[in-house]
Amino acid sequence: MLNSKISLCIDDNHIETTSGKTILEAALDSGIYIPHICHHPNLSPHGACKLCVVEIEGMEDICTSCSTIARDGMVIKTKTQKLNSLRCLSLELMFTDHPSDCATCPKYMQCELQSIAQYLGIRNSRLRNVGKSYPPNLENPLFLRDMERCIQCGRCIRACQELRGVKVMDYIRGEDGTYVGISGKSLMKDAGCRFCGACVEVCPTGALRDKDGMLNQDLPRSKALVPCRNECPAGVDIPRFIRLIAEGKRSDAVAVIREKVPFPMTLGDICSHPCESVCRRKELNDSVSICKLKRYAAEYDDQSWKNYRIIKPAMGKTVAVIGSGPAGLTAAYYLTKAGHKVTVFEALEAAGGMMRVGIPEYRLPKIDLENEIQEILSIGVEIKYNRKIEYPETLLQEGFHAVLAATGAHKGQKLPIEGSDLKGVFTAVDFLRAVNLGTEVKIGKKVLVIGGGNVAFDCARTARRLAAEDVHIAFLEPRDNMMASADEAYEAVQEGISIHPSTSFAKINSKAGAVTGVECITVESFAFDENKKLQVKLLEGSNHEIEADTVVFATGQIPERFDERSEIVVTARNSIIADEEKCTTSVERIFAAGDAVTGTASVIKAIAGGRNAASSIDMFLGGDGIIDEQLTDSTQPAGYIGRIDGFADLTRNYEEMAPVDERTKNFNPVSRVFDMEAALKEAERCLKCDLRLRIDSVKFWNDYDGKKDKKALE
């Protein structure tokens, strides 16, 4: 009967196991080590290596324990002279085609062959090494094939065929005999490989391994193997939500995103997507369009995740949050769910912080942001508008048990050049805020934006929509080293905006108090010295003017300074000094997060800061600090992914853009959300790197407590 208990005796050790298990499985489960290398806990038995041989009382022939089912009452010997001789011979045969030095194996991998050699006490093979010289194949993306190390155990083949169903790897018969390879193809990408890494994960010798630099060896292995999830500041489970999109489960996909952030739609519009910069798919062609898949999922949110949401009972504690930006609202949301009464104080007449006033509506439609803010308010968060808090300590005096300063970085900066105080000269912060709040902004026909980041491009493209006819962007860096994303620059050029890289600025010219242009100088080179001080070399005689009647400085922004009575310690640039994880400041019961701490960063980083603050404040107020939640049924991903012909060449899908002549006339969204066909195609491009974490690691002989004889026989 399957799953019934049976008893065995292995090397005079009486053990119990479950019927249906092999002798090897029963032994390893009980801490009794039997040498093996073709066996892997996730793969079918193979029995080819002959290292796991055992003697069974009453049976004349020696058996391979990985393929022999255990039966009740069996008496088994794993350590005899005969078995030791057979194992040593098998191992020496493997070494004839294997380099003796495995010192080049990467940090994350030990050579199982060398480990078994230590166990058996083999230091030098009695057989001549007849291995042919096979130089490692470096042409495959992501993975290195070093066939000189291959011992033909077949684990990679079984992983490719059984675990994944891709069926690229196989035994190939050639002129020099049989080898493990790819039939008729020299490169894995040409054969339809899905680059899931299962073959690498099960390889015992490093014949298949990650290329140098493909894994960040400064990280724990679980994080290095799934770089997109690790790089997301908020820890969104990116492979999981992409997998759900590919399966057509859009509501489950957005639920996964909402497990970590309360702004899935907003992030789908404007996230800086650092996850895409480390996506392993880019080693084949382009990274997966993670951000736009997030937007697609959010578009079809049926709110079924609310059935799983937990709002804890009231704890009787109150929290004041200063600022309703991404950090403040995120913290308010999770603190309310944790059972605290939260009041948000907002200096402006509308919530959202820089999401509301610092990002043009053509990138972030107000309706998207407003819907997500209303969701936060629906659970009991209160916002008091037009309440600028300059002295946070007063909120403690009013009776709040804790205060979070999430005031953002709303003070624009100008370069200290002549003319910067003229009428017609704006900071990016003031310019974008006025436009977003519907305040009339008078600009001329010729606009120059100084700065090379995304904010600068936001200003330039906004000016274009305000009917400026001639719009320029100029910045210090070379074009290929500018801070703005390539997409932003490309779309700006489409809209007729001129870009001037490698440019420095001498003064703003004027006539009768009105701006007429900016005197510029070409930058020959620039760098930062060991003290991080900027060193600029200007090209002599390159002075020139860019005509403009409006100038916008997009050259940085800093937090506003608190009232001088406040004891909160800040930097020279007004950033609050706070513990990175605990978010604590120099004043007890006052915490800080977001751009007020980090300086101008990104929405996703501010959200991550808000999450940290919520957890820390909850613990301070007596809670458990746990804000993570599961908002959809937890199902294990299918490991069998199948084959997709031409998988490596699947090109990235892009959202459809509104025609240029239409989009520069208004603030309507410039990009359109993926339709289902495009989203499914894009989700299909994912390498599913997280599946590697579901492959069991192999234990070595010295991992088995109490059964660690260094040699099979003493």
Side-chain angles (χ1 to χ4, degrees), residues 9-219:
C9 181
I10 302 179
D11 295 333
D12 299 325
N13 296 290
H14 294 277
I15 67 169
E16 278 195 349
T17 190
T18 305
S19 60
K21 288 198 172 185
T22 65
I23 293 173
L24 180 60
E25 290 172 330
L28 298 179
D29 288 347
S30 299
I32 300 172
Y33 178 72
I34 301 175
H36 58 278
I37 202 162
C38 67
H39 168 80
H40 187 279
N42 299 124
L43 305 175
S44 62
H46 196 44
C49 71
K50 305 303 180 186
L51 292 173
C52 70
V53 289
V54 297
E55 295 179 5
I56 302 174
E57 188 176 279
M59 295 182 64
E60 183 176 342
D61 294 333
I62 287 175
C63 301
T64 52
S65 61
C66 72
S67 59
T68 303
I69 300 297
R71 291 187 175 83
D72 191 45
M74 273 185 170
V75 177
I76 301 161
K77 297 293 183 185
T78 73
K79 299 174 183 178
T80 68
Q81 186 64 52
K82 183 177 182 181
L83 294 174
N84 188 60
S85 296
L86 287 172
R87 287 171 183 152
C88 288
L89 178 59
S90 296
L91 196 66
E92 287 172 334
L93 287 170
M94 294 179 203
F95 271 125
T96 61
D97 281 327
H98 190 77
S100 58
D101 180 17
C102 286
T104 58
C105 289
K107 168 187 170 183
Y108 289 127
M109 199 199 76
Q110 291 177 268
C111 179
E112 293 179 41
L113 197 67
Q114 294 289 348
S115 176
I116 294 172
Q118 292 176 15
Y119 176 82
L120 295 175
I122 296 176
R123 284 170 173 75
N124 294 294
S125 175
R126 295 169 296 175
L127 303 176
R128 181 172 62 90
N129 188 307
V130 296
K132 299 178 178 63
S133 177
Y134 297 107
N137 186 328
L138 302 175
E139 296 181 29
N140 287 294
L142 292 166
F143 307 134
L144 183 149
R145 291 184 67 202
D146 188 354
M147 300 316 293
E148 193 173 38
R149 297 175 183 269
C150 181
I151 58 173
Q152 299 190 39
C153 65
R155 275 163 48 166
C156 60
I157 295 172
R158 283 174 284 152
C160 186
Q161 297 190 359
E162 299 171 7
L163 285 185
R164 298 291 179 259
V166 181
K167 301 180 180 179
V168 168
M169 305 292 295
D170 208 342
Y171 287 111
I172 308 298
R173 294 187 181 277
E175 295 180 359
D176 297 328
T178 301
Y179 63 95
V180 173
I182 300 168
S183 179
K185 305 285 185 180
S186 60
L187 296 179
M188 298 162 77
K189 73 181 187 69
D190 297 330
C193 178
R194 296 285 301 268
F195 293 91
C196 65
C199 57
V200 173
E201 203 65 21
V202 301
C203 180
T205 63
L208 284 163
R209 59 186 186 269
D210 294 289
K211 279 185 174 180
D212 290 343
M214 288 297 103
L215 297 184
N216 185 340
Q217 297 198 11
D218 293 329
L219 293 173

Side-chain angles (χ1 to χ4, degrees), residues 415 448 450 473-478 499-505 518-524 536 538 544 546:
L415 296 179
L448 171 63
I450 296 175
I473 291 179
F475 46 87
L476 193 65
E477 298 85 0
I499 299 177
H500 305 268
S502 300
T503 301
S504 185
F505 311 95
V518 177
E519 183 179 338
C520 303
I521 310 171
T522 300
V523 174
E524 188 171 336
V536 179
L538 302 177
H544 60 283
I546 298 177

Side-chain angles (χ1 to χ4, degrees), residues 304-342:
S304 58
W305 53 271
K306 289 184 179 180
N307 297 327
Y308 297 82
R309 182 174 63 186
I310 297 174
I311 299 178
K312 297 177 182 179
M315 293 182 65
K317 301 294 177 65
T318 58
V319 181
V321 175
I322 308 172
S324 68
L329 287 179
T330 297
Y333 177 71
Y334 287 111
L335 283 167
T336 301
K337 287 172 77 312
H340 307 294
K341 174 60 179 173
V342 180

Side-chain angles (χ1 to χ4, degrees), residues 194-270:
R194 296 285 301 268
F195 293 91
C196 65
C199 57
V200 173
E201 203 65 21
V202 301
C203 180
T205 63
L208 284 163
R209 59 186 186 269
D210 294 289
K211 279 185 174 180
D212 290 343
M214 288 297 103
L215 297 184
N216 185 340
Q217 297 198 11
D218 293 329
L219 293 173
R221 185 171 173 278
S222 60
K223 293 184 177 182
L225 284 176
V226 193
C228 61
R229 184 168 61 198
N230 178 66
E231 195 69 16
C232 176
V236 174
D237 193 342
I238 292 167
R240 185 173 167 220
F241 90 70
I242 291 178
R243 182 179 294 108
L244 289 167
I245 289 175
E247 294 172 357
K249 300 176 181 177
R250 296 176 293 193
S251 59
D252 288 338
V254 75
V256 169
I257 300 167
R258 277 195 168 273
E259 288 176 355
K260 298 292 185 180
V261 299
F263 294 102
M265 187 168 285
T266 297
L267 288 171
D269 287 324
I270 51 86

Side-chain angles (χ1 to χ4, degrees), residues 366-556:
K366 286 187 176 68
I367 187 64
D368 290 355
L369 176 61
E370 189 59 38
N371 287 339
E372 293 183 327
I373 292 175
Q374 289 302 316
E375 190 63 60
I376 291 171
L377 297 179
S378 72
I379 65 169
V381 175
E382 180 186 5
I383 301 180
K384 293 187 176 182
Y385 298 101
N386 299 307
R387 288 289 305 275
K388 186 172 184 178
I389 305 297
E390 297 180 338
Y391 182 36
E393 285 90 336
T394 59
L395 296 173
L396 295 177
Q397 296 166 7
E398 290 176 16
F400 286 98
H401 295 96
V403 174
L404 172 64
T407 49
H410 289 256
K411 185 177 181 180
Q413 299 288 283
K414 294 180 179 179
L415 296 179
I417 59 175
E418 182 183 336
S420 62
D421 56 350
L422 289 167
K423 185 178 180 180
V425 178
F426 301 87
T427 66
V429 173
D430 294 336
F431 177 68
L432 292 174
R433 178 189 294 164
V435 173
N436 280 311
L437 292 179
T439 304
E440 183 181 3
V441 182
K442 294 182 178 180
I443 63 171
K445 296 298 182 182
K446 298 179 179 181
V447 177
L448 171 63
V449 179
I450 296 175
N454 285 336
V455 174
F457 282 88
D458 285 344
C459 292
R461 297 175 70 185
T462 294
R464 192 79 174 85
R465 285 159 175 77
L466 294 177
E469 296 174 355
D470 192 15
V471 182
H472 299 257
I473 291 179
F475 46 87
L476 193 65
E477 298 85 0
R479 176 68 181 267
D480 59 0
N481 197 33
M482 66 181 181
M483 294 180 291
S485 69
D487 289 345
E488 277 287 321
Y490 174 73
E491 291 171 19
V493 170
Q494 280 188 317
E495 294 172 7
I497 294 167
S498 301
I499 299 177
H500 305 268
S502 300
T503 301
S504 185
F505 311 95
K507 67 176 182 176
I508 299 176
N509 297 324
S510 63
K511 185 176 182 180
V515 174
T516 59
V518 177
E519 183 179 338
C520 303
I521 310 171
T522 300
V523 174
E524 188 171 336
S525 66
F526 83 99
F528 292 91
D529 62 19
E530 63 275 8
N531 297 317
K532 297 183 179 180
K533 186 176 181 180
L534 182 62
Q535 303 293 321
V536 179
K537 182 178 181 181
L538 302 177
L539 184 63
E540 188 175 348
S542 65
N543 292 56
H544 60 283
E545 183 184 54
I546 298 177
E547 292 183 4
D549 46 28
T550 302
V551 176
V552 180
F553 281 101
T555 50

Side-chain angles (χ1 to χ4, degrees), residues 577-584 592-594 597-598 608-613 616:
I577 297 176
D579 182 273
E580 185 175 350
E581 292 298 322
K582 296 180 180 179
C583 302
T584 50
V597 174
T598 63
R611 283 179 56 85
N612 284 345
S616 183

